[in-house]
Structures are given as C-alpha cells and as structure tokens.
C-alpha cells in the first residue's frame, strides 16, 4: 500500500532529508586518495548522530555500516572498511538517516582525485538522468514514466541502466511501496499523487546493465567489470514540480 504523507509527516521527512544530505556531503567531502572507506562511514555517522538521528542502514537486514560505499565496478551495497581509495576511483556513497520516525535516503558518486573523462561523463549522465526522471514525478503521471525518462536519457548517452535494483517509496519505513524502476515503458504502475514520497535512484553502468552479487551476500558489481555510477534523492510528489527532500539544511 502506498502511504500518502500528512503535512506533519512531510515536515519530519524534510528534516530527515536534510540530515541525510548533510551526511552525504560530509562523507563526500573527504573522498581523496589514501582515505579509507571506513573513515567516510564514520564521518557520515557522526553527522547523523549529531543531529539526534539514527543511521537507517546500520543493522538493516544485518548491514554492517551507516553508509554503503561502492567503488568503481561496485554498483551498490559496498561495505565500508580498510580499503584505501586511489586516484581515479569512482566512489558511490549511499546513506540513510531516520529522524523522529521518518527516513531520508540519498546517494551520490564522488570522483577520487583526477578521474578519466569517460568516468566524469558517467557521473554527469547519471546525475542528469535523475533530473530527467523527476520531470515526470508529479501528480497525474504514472510511476513508470519516471523510469522511462531515466532510461531514454541514459541510453541516448551510450550507457545502460541497472534493472535488478530499483527506487522505492520512503517514509516511516526505509523501503515502502511503490517500487520505482529506472527503465521500462511509460504509462504503467501506480498513478502519482501529491503527498507520496519516493526515492528515485538511477544506477548507471558504463558497459552492460547486468549485475551480480558478491559472496558477502550484499555487494552488487557489474558483470563486465566496468564502472557504475549512482545518484539518488528522496522527493515529495506535488501537483507541480516535485520537492527534493534530501537537500542541505539552510545555513543559519
Ligand atoms: Mg534508496
């Protein structure tokens, strides 16, 4: 069942979203050659806890950290740890925070030092595919209109969209209905209604869209070993343009 949020719930989700975005930014700002992915995790966790929130991912189905940190060919669900980042790495940071009972969920791909032109283009196309998708994220459209726009933009730029993992509703649960695929025909799935909150999260591969899960049971990698990029925000559906919930808090 898709839950429509009340004005009060939306306010709490905006607060959770800002905390989540602050954690993403804090971890992302540290991405540089030599830092470990565990240090990025600690930075994000400190921000979340500092706001009186809790990391949504920590212990979620047994996940061992506050962020997913996925590097290069890793698509999602990488474990932070002792891995030292190297010049040229593509570093995906996915983070969630729960505040006053509501979750924010967002992700971004950060370049480590100098990266190749192709890797930079992959990051930019992934980010822009999110914005192309959410042009259709408004009351009256259907859920699959978003993914259709994402896929069309990504494939027009010569990359591919991961199909095995999708965006999702977000609210008092980290993952709620509906599923929000990043591919497929338009005009399918539930109709969008003002007050729905969803996480739109294109995962874009440099090569083929096929992915597989490593033996740790979590980390998803590209089958062809090529690069992958991820960008995500939690958004609020309205009668007009959607409102991005995972934005940095206003500087006071
Ligand atoms: Mg998500």
């Amino acid at each position: 069942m898709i839950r429509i949020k009340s004005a009060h719930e939306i306010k709490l989700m905006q607060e959770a979203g800002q905390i989540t975005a602050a954690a993403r930014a804090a971890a992302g700002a540290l991405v540089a050659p030599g830092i470990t992915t565990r240090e990025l995790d600690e930075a994000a966790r400190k921000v979340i806890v500092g706001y009186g929130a809790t990391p949504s991912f920590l212990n979620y189905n047994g996940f061992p950290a506050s962020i997913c940190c996925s590097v290069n060919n890793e698509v999602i669900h990488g474990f932070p740890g002792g891995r030292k980042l190297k010049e040229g790495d593509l570093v995906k940071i996915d983070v969630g925070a729960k505040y006053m009972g509501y979750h924010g969920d967002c992700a971004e791909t950060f370049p480590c030092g100098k990266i190749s032109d192709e890797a930079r283009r992959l990051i930019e196309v992934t980010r822009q595919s999110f914005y192309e998708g959410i042009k259709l994220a408004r009351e009256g459209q259907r859920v699959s209109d978003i993914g259709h726009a994402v896929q069309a933009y990504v494939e027009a730029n010569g990359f591919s969209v991961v199909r095995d993992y999708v965006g999702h509703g977000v609210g008092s649960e980290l993952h709620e209905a509906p599923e929000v695929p990043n591919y497929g025909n338009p005009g399918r799935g539930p109709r969008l209604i003002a007050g729905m909150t969803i996480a739109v999260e294109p995962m874009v591969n440099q090569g083929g869209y096929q992915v597989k899960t490593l033996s740790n049971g979590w980390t998803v990698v590209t089958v062809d070993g090529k690069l992958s990029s991820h960008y995500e925000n939690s958004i609020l559906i309205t009668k007009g343009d959607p409102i991005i919930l995972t934005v940095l808090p206003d500087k006071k």
Side-chain angles (χ1 to χ4, degrees), residues 29-93:
L30 294 178
V31 169
I35 198 163
T36 65
T37 54
R38 181 179 291 120
E39 289 172 278
L40 305 182
D41 181 58
E42 283 167 3
R45 188 182 54 78
K46 271 189 191 156
V47 169
I48 293 167
V49 172
Y51 278 102
T54 53
S56 305
F57 296 179
L58 186 61
N59 300 321
Y60 182 86
N61 293 335
F63 191 79
S66 299
I67 66 168
C68 299
C69 188
S70 311
V71 182
N72 295 337
N73 62 312
E74 296 171 348
V75 179
I76 48 170
H77 302 166
F79 289 5
R83 177 178 190 160
K84 276 199 170 122
L85 295 178
K86 295 200 296 283
E87 182 93 21
D89 281 344
L90 229 59
V91 184
K92 283 134 278 181
I93 294 172

